[in-house]
Structures are given as structure tokens and as C-alpha cells.
Amino acid sequence: EPEVTQTPSHQVTQMGQEVILRCVPISNHLYFYWYRQILGQKVEFLVSFYNNEISEKSEIFDDQFSVERPDGSNFTLKIRSTKLEDSAMYFCASSEGGTPPEQYFGPGTRLTVT
Amino acid sequence: GENVEQHPSTLSVQEGDSAVIKCTYSDSASNYFPWYKQELGKRPQLIIDIRSNVGEKKDQRIAVTLNKTAKHFSLHITETQPEDSAVYFCAAIRLWGAAGNKLTFGGGTRVLVKP
């Protein structure tokens, strides 16, 4: 069964550095998402992406964040100038659309900012 | 925006007993409610969902009920087994509305089934 994959599984970075989290959605899916989960807190929506553009973003997703689909398979989340509070588990998800729009999650990337 | 509250945060049951997890939502326009199960170190996986035009849905040992008037929905697991031990998340979506298809999650319930 096809799965969403994410790399790396764990990323450690120093405050102020830039990180790129990578995701490979399921191949026939059209909708892509990033969520994050700070330890002990809820899973929070960051951004959705469809037809090569952002379709919705949360208030968390400010100018520090950007997303890109650089080719037909990868979907990336870039975090510029990381802060301690960016430490979290970041989940990528994808959906083929339709009704209901089941979202399939990747295994997550644990980002630790020191 | 939508807010989803989930209770309890932890639930310990004896194998064979039932487990019930409850969620409430705030946006009356939400119309699709999936439940995800996340085993330790693994990805969240959809286990059951319900749409707002349905009051109850069952799949083997799991069932979900929805009360639109009260804006709450529940997950019921019967005859629990050790492999049901995991964190369960409820979520709500407003399909096709201005909010798009983003999932708003509850805080999660850690279920432990004791053999």
C-alpha cells in the first residue's frame, strides 16, 4: 500500500539556522498539508497546498515558513531562522480529494532546535 | 475558527472492557469527523470517520456516534485488546467551505489496555 514518506526522521539544528523538511506524498494525490505537534500539545494545521499554490494557511504559518513542490514528487517545508519554539514533530499529509477527503499522514520529522 | 476538545486525556481499561472517548466541536459548519489512531513511534492512521448526515457508524469493534445538535461525537471501542493501546485523535473538518479541508484535532487520548 502506498505511503507518505518524510525525511529526515529527526533533525537537530541550532537556533537561527534554516531547515528544510521533505515529504513525498502518495503519487496520485492532489492535496498536500503540513501539520505540527509540539510535545504534549495538539496536532496543529500549518498549511495546505493544491495546484501549485497555498490554498490555506494558519496564523502560525508566517513569513518564517514556506512550502514548495519543486518537482512532481517532493513537497517541502522550509523554516528560516529557526527558534527554540519551532521544536516539534512535523507531519506531512496528502489527500486525493474526493468525498470524504481522507488525509494520509507521513511518519513525521522530529525537529529539535537548540 | 474551529476548536475541538477531547476527553479523557488518558484512559486505562481492562482487556475485554469497552472504551469511550468523547469530543466536542465549536463550528456548527463542520461536517466531517475522522478518528485517527497513532501507535507509539508510528504515523496517525484513519480508523473510522462519520459525516454530519449520519448519526452512527460501526466497523467491527469500533463505532462512532455524532450528535449535531449538541456538537459532540464519540468513539466506542468494544472488547478491547492489547493492540488497541495507542493515542486516539478526533478531528473535525468543514468540507468545501472557506476553511478548506484542514483538520482541526482534539488533544488526543492515550488508551492503555491492560491484559
Side-chain angles (χ1 to χ4, degrees):
Chain A
E1 186 178 335
E3 290 185 331
V4 176
T5 59
Q6 288 184 245
T7 54
S9 56
H10 191 190
Q11 173 89 50
V12 181
T13 190
Q14 288 192 325
M15 202 165 47
Q17 297 298 303
E18 174 181 288
V19 294
I20 297 176
L21 310 184
R22 292 185 163 79
C23 169
V24 179
I26 294 172
S27 63
N28 64 331
H29 284 188
L30 302 174
Y31 299 82
F32 314 110
Y33 309 85
W34 283 101
Y35 294 85
R36 79 172 185 189
Q37 185 178 29
I38 296 171
L39 190 64
Q41 297 186 22
K42 290 184 176 186
V43 176
E44 302 172 289
F45 169 79
L46 291 178
V47 65
S48 59
F49 192 86
Y50 170 71
N51 200 25
N52 282 320
E53 60 183 24
I54 291 174
S55 48
E56 187 177 4
K57 58 184 181 179
S58 72
E59 59 272 14
I60 302 168
F61 194 90
D62 59 20
D63 292 343
Q64 184 194 4
F65 296 88
S66 62
V67 289
E68 194 177 34
R69 189 154 162 83
D71 52 43
S73 59
N74 290 283
F75 179 51
T76 62
L77 174 69
K78 182 188 291 185
I79 309 174
R80 287 179 282 274
S81 190
T82 49
K83 299 176 281 193
L84 294 176
E85 53 265 38
D86 295 326
S87 296
M89 179 72 90
Y90 289 81
F91 291 105
C92 172
S94 70
S95 166
E96 62 179 338
T99 305
E102 179 177 350
Q103 294 184 22
Y104 293 81
F105 281 77
T109 292
R110 180 165 297 286
L111 176 65
T112 302
V113 182
T114 62
Chain B
E2 175 65 280
N3 182 48
V4 178
E5 297 293 335
Q6 183 171 347
H7 300 280
S9 56
T10 58
L11 181 59
S12 182
V13 297
Q14 209 64 41
E15 182 178 357
D17 287 351
S18 294
V20 180
I21 302 169
K22 298 182 179 182
C23 290
T24 59
Y25 61 99
S26 61
D27 186 354
S28 56
S30 288
N31 53 11
Y32 173 62
F33 307 92
W35 285 86
Y36 284 82
K37 175 183 179 183
Q38 186 177 26
E39 296 176 48
L40 191 62
K42 296 190 177 179
R43 71 194 70 209
Q45 291 196 297
L46 181 74
I47 55 171
I48 196 167
D49 55 20
I50 191 167
R51 298 199 68 181
S52 58
N53 57 350
V54 174
E56 184 173 355
K57 185 175 176 181
K58 194 171 181 181
D59 182 4
Q60 299 183 354
R61 294 187 298 106
I62 59 173
V64 58
T65 59
L66 171 66
N67 183 326
K68 277 194 306 182
T69 304
K71 290 189 282 188
H72 66 70
F73 56 113
S74 301
L75 178 72
H76 304 252
I77 308 173
T78 57
E79 299 172 26
T80 52
Q81 300 168 5
E83 53 264 37
D84 295 329
S85 295
V87 179
Y88 292 80
F89 294 97
C90 63
I93 283 185
R94 180 170 58 175
L95 293 178
W96 317 123
N101 289 330
K102 68 174 185 182
L103 285 163
T104 302
F105 283 92
T109 297
R110 184 173 300 278
V111 174
L112 175 63
V113 180
K114 295 182 286 187

